[in-house]
Amino acid sequence: MNHYQNRIAGCFVLAMFFLSWGGVWPASADTLPTAGSNMRVYVGTYTGRNSQGIYQFDLDLATGKPGPLELAGEAANPSFLTIAPGGKFLYAVSETTGGGGGAKKEGAVNAFAVDPVTGKLTLLNQESSRGQGPCHVSVDRAGKFALTTNYSSGSVTVLPINADGTLGASTAFDQHEGSGPMKGRQEGPHAHSVNMDPANRFAIVCDLGLDKVFVYRLGGDGTLTPNDPPTAQVAPGSGPRHFTFHPNGKFAYVVNEMGSTVTAFNWDADKGMLTEIQTISTLPDGVSMPNNTTAEVQVHPNGKFLYASNRGHDSIAMYSLDPATGKLTSMGEVPSGGKTPRNFAIDPSGTWLLAAHQNTNNICVFHIDSSSGKLEPTEYSVQVSHPVCVKFYPPAK
């Protein structure tokens, strides 16, 4: 057993806890993917003494066992990653906020070429994000534009992608204005994520500082035009953070960082309009944790389950999802195996969930029961300094 990867204390203790009541995987052989199939995993980090940038490892889809960790490419604070359609290029923000002498410094988006065999990343170029603290980047479904949000300054930027994968100067920029009711967190706008809709017509931006989800029309020339209506609202002080669509394209979900909730929406694909269905807690019934903050939200590929991460409670909240109505029903929470589960990823087959812990420097591997949607801890983990983002390669189509 490789102790460097597979028996980091947090995940090992968690696995032993579940083993004591019979809940630990492995499941029966007939639930496993084909033996010998591997997927590459990229990890974005906060850089410093123990991290140089973006890392990679292979995950055995039959067992959940990770391979050796390697440095894929160097970058400054590549806290969030995205992979362009086709898998030839990877884009990463450089999350920077301030320069020397108190001067503000714009963050950047890095363009990398991906070696399909080794996974190594070659830097192609870097473009300004036109704001401070870029924290999220995505690529439109045609692979023509990279969209990024600047958390610290509260703005969204569009960068064109050239045929060779390099980024051009921005074609669109929108600065959010206003504030929210929570002092210290909502003194101004904080754009936190940007995602394209399934039809590749609308860009959806969550702004934590304003309690709003912005909807823009993305033009073929890379312009952004506010939709009508331009925003959807969540409860005051909730702090919308990350966003995901249901595979059927009819529903969407926002995880609210400060409210420790998930808000479900109907999605009108023609009008680009979000209408709230439900808001549900990410914490156990009766539990109040003012210092808890949520981070990631994702729908299982089969559309029957949804997961959200709690930082503070340090757990993954699990929900059953009604594909007919979009409504969620809590299935409880499972300890995430470390502190501050900043991000997680589900492999395209829906068999494995990888939970990345920013403050305990580990990524824990969970098996997903295909029938119940429950997360089952394994003995496997990967040790990496300050992991912030996990991406499977190639991404799901």
Side-chain angles (χ1 to χ4, degrees):
M1 185 69 66
N2 185 324
H3 289 268
Y4 176 72
Q5 297 170 317
N6 298 341
R7 292 196 176 181
I8 304 304
C11 291
F12 183 75
V13 171
L14 176 63
M16 293 303 99
F17 170 77
F18 273 79
L19 183 60
S20 68
W21 57 267
V24 73
W25 195 81
S28 60
D30 60 358
T31 67
L32 299 178
T34 302
S37 56
N38 293 323
M39 281 199 78
R40 186 183 307 151
V41 180
Y42 285 108
V43 184
T45 70
Y46 282 131
T47 50
R49 184 176 61 182
N50 297 316
S51 175
Q52 296 174 266
I54 302 168
Y55 290 81
Q56 65 170 327
F57 62 90
D58 285 341
L59 187 76
D60 186 324
L61 294 182
T63 66
K65 182 179 180 179
L69 183 73
E70 300 177 354
L71 179 65
E74 295 188 13
N77 288 342
S79 62
F80 205 87
L81 318 174
T82 191
I83 301 165
K88 293 182 178 180
F89 308 111
L90 179 148
Y91 299 92
V93 299
S94 277
E95 187 174 338
T96 55
T97 304
K104 290 291 185 181
K105 184 172 72 173
E106 292 181 346
V109 181
N110 305 278
F112 292 92
V114 179
D115 185 311
V117 177
T118 67
K120 293 292 186 179
L121 304 175
T122 301
L123 181 66
L124 299 175
N125 77 325
Q126 184 183 79
E127 276 290 334
S128 171
S129 69
R130 296 184 62 184
Q132 290 85 49
C135 61
H136 193 272
V137 61
S138 61
V139 173
D140 83 300
R141 298 178 191 279
K144 295 182 178 180
F145 303 102
L147 301 90
T148 189
T149 48
N150 297 297
Y151 177 84
S152 299
S153 52
S155 56
V156 57
T157 307
V158 179
L159 302 170
I161 297 175
N162 301 314
D164 62 358
T166 58
L167 295 167
S170 66
T171 55
F173 173 84
D174 191 51
Q175 177 64 56
H176 294 175
E177 302 289 345
S179 61
M182 298 293 289
K183 293 181 179 180
R185 295 298 312 276
Q186 295 184 312
E187 74 292 343
H190 293 302
H192 217 312
S193 63
V194 54
N195 295 272
M196 292 302 301
D197 77 313
N200 208 42
R201 297 173 58 205
F202 298 97
I204 293 89
V205 177
C206 290
D207 195 305
L208 177 146
L210 307 182
D211 293 322
K212 292 180 179 180
V213 181
F214 289 73
V215 181
Y216 299 90
R217 292 180 180 268
L218 178 65
D221 55 355
T223 55
L224 288 176
T225 304
N227 191 45
D228 182 18
T231 63
Q233 192 82 33
V234 297
S238 294
R241 178 185 172 99
H242 277 197
F243 179 99
T244 189
F245 277 102
H246 190 278
N248 67 16
K250 297 178 180 180
F251 310 111
Y253 301 88
V254 171
V255 67
N256 298 302
E257 177 172 328
M258 296 181 296
S260 295
T261 57
V262 174
T263 299
F265 292 94
N266 278 311
W267 170 248
D268 187 320
D270 293 327
K271 298 179 179 179
M273 187 166 63
L274 293 163
T275 304
E276 183 177 345
I277 302 170
Q278 171 197 30
T279 294
I280 187 170
S281 177
T282 62
L283 295 171
D285 288 344
V287 172
S288 177
M289 292 188 66
N291 293 328
N292 185 73
T293 58
T294 63
E296 186 58 271
V297 62
Q298 291 190 24
V299 178
H300 191 276
N302 68 14
K304 296 179 181 180
F305 312 107
L306 180 140
Y307 306 92
S309 63
N310 287 302
R311 299 173 296 178
H313 193 253
D314 294 333
S315 63
I316 307 295
M318 304 172 290
Y319 305 88
S320 62
L321 192 160
D322 186 336
T325 66
K327 287 189 175 182
L328 303 171
T329 302
S330 175
M331 299 194 302
E333 305 76 27
V334 63
S336 62
K339 292 187 180 297
T340 317
R342 174 71 176 263
N343 186 245
F344 62 82
I346 300 171
D347 85 277
S349 76
T351 307
W352 307 102
L353 183 147
L354 306 184
H357 299 93
Q358 181 180 334
N359 289 347
T360 45
N361 306 316
N362 62 323
I363 300 172
C364 291
V365 180
F366 289 83
H367 179 257
I368 305 174
D369 185 280
S370 59
S371 298
S372 69
K374 291 279 189 176
L375 299 180
E376 303 165 336
T378 72
E379 63 182 338
Y380 297 126
S381 70
V382 176
Q383 186 175 28
V384 57
S385 180
H386 295 94
V388 182
C389 179
V390 182
K391 291 290 182 183
F392 282 94
Y393 177 93
K397 295 180 180 179

